[in-house]
């Protein structure tokens, strides 16, 4: 089995959680290869040898980030703003040649607890392109917009990644 993990990160938290989920996948029986790439570098089409795609991004304004919300992050002190997030990558992504399994996750602040989910919106967009859900969308908590990642969330991401091969 081969997996591709695509993520968008601004403060580094979502990227660290993507790596943790990938580590969980790598530790699963039957997984031959797991590639992790930022949305800015993600392919325009999913290779036919990929069995599972995992997509993660921060929740901005109740959904996936936009160019405007990423610009707002710069005003909050972020310095590494991606030119393309998961929203744009999914919009440009070619439909898969078969129903490739997909799992999504997002990061959201623990406090204040805000509504909305980038993971749910990403899953909906990917399913409409022909992907098959491998699991329900997951949320991982961070403290404030810039982090750090909430206690226990990296381990929970590893554990979640390890379960994705069951689907």
């Amino acid at each position: 089995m081969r997996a591709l993990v695509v993520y968008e990160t601004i403060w580094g938290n979502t990227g660290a959680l993507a790596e943790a989920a990938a580590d969980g996948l790598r530790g699963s029986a039957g997984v031959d290869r797991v590639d992790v790439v930022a949305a800015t570098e993600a392919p325009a089409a999913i290779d036919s040898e990929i069995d599972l795609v995992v997509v993660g991004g921060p929740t901005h304004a109740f959904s996936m980030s936009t160019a405007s919300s990423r610009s707002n992050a710069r005003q909050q002190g972020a310095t590494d703003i991606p030119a393309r997030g998961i929203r744009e990558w999914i919009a440009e992504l070619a439909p898969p040649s078969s129903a490739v399994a997909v799992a999504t996750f997002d990061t959201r602040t623990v406090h204040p607890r805000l509504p909305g989910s980038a993971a749910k919106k990403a899953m909906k967009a990917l399913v409409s392109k022909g992907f098959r859900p491998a699991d329900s969308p997951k949320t991982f908590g961070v403290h404030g917009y810039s982090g750090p990642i909430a206690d226990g969330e990296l381990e929970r991401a590893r554990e979640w990644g390890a379960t994705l091969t069951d689907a």
Side-chain angles (χ1 to χ4, degrees):
M1 176 179 177
R2 282 188 58 194
L4 174 65
V5 179
V6 177
Y7 69 92
E8 170 189 348
T9 194
I10 293 173
W11 302 98
N13 302 306
T14 310
L17 288 157
E19 289 290 349
D23 287 345
L25 277 165
R26 288 182 186 109
S28 300
V31 177
D32 300 319
R33 182 174 168 182
V34 179
D35 295 316
V36 181
V37 298
T40 54
E41 305 298 322
I46 301 302
D47 187 295
S48 63
E49 294 181 10
I50 301 290
D51 302 295
L52 171 67
V53 177
V54 178
V55 180
T59 298
H60 282 204
F62 316 114
S63 187
M64 294 179 279
S65 76
T66 63
S68 175
S69 71
R70 290 190 298 272
S71 177
N72 289 343
R74 182 180 312 281
Q75 294 170 3
Q76 294 174 359
T79 57
D80 190 17
I81 309 295
R84 176 173 82 163
I86 60 170
R87 175 188 298 267
E88 294 87 358
W89 174 71
I90 292 168
E92 297 166 5
L93 184 63
S97 57
S98 63
V100 175
V102 67
T104 60
F105 74 94
D106 62 27
T107 52
R108 277 190 276 173
T109 62
V110 173
H111 184 74
R113 183 77 171 150
L114 300 172
S117 170
K120 288 180 182 178
K121 301 291 184 176
M123 179 63 79
K124 183 176 179 180
L126 289 159
V127 167
S128 73
K129 285 197 173 265
F131 288 84
R132 175 182 55 82
D135 196 6
S136 60
K138 298 294 183 241
T139 293
F140 297 97
V142 297
H143 295 288
Y145 296 111
S146 61
I149 298 169
D151 292 344
E153 294 294 75
L154 285 172
E155 183 55 35
R156 194 166 73 86
R158 274 187 213 91
E159 291 169 359
W160 175 64
T163 68
L164 292 175
T165 59
D166 297 341

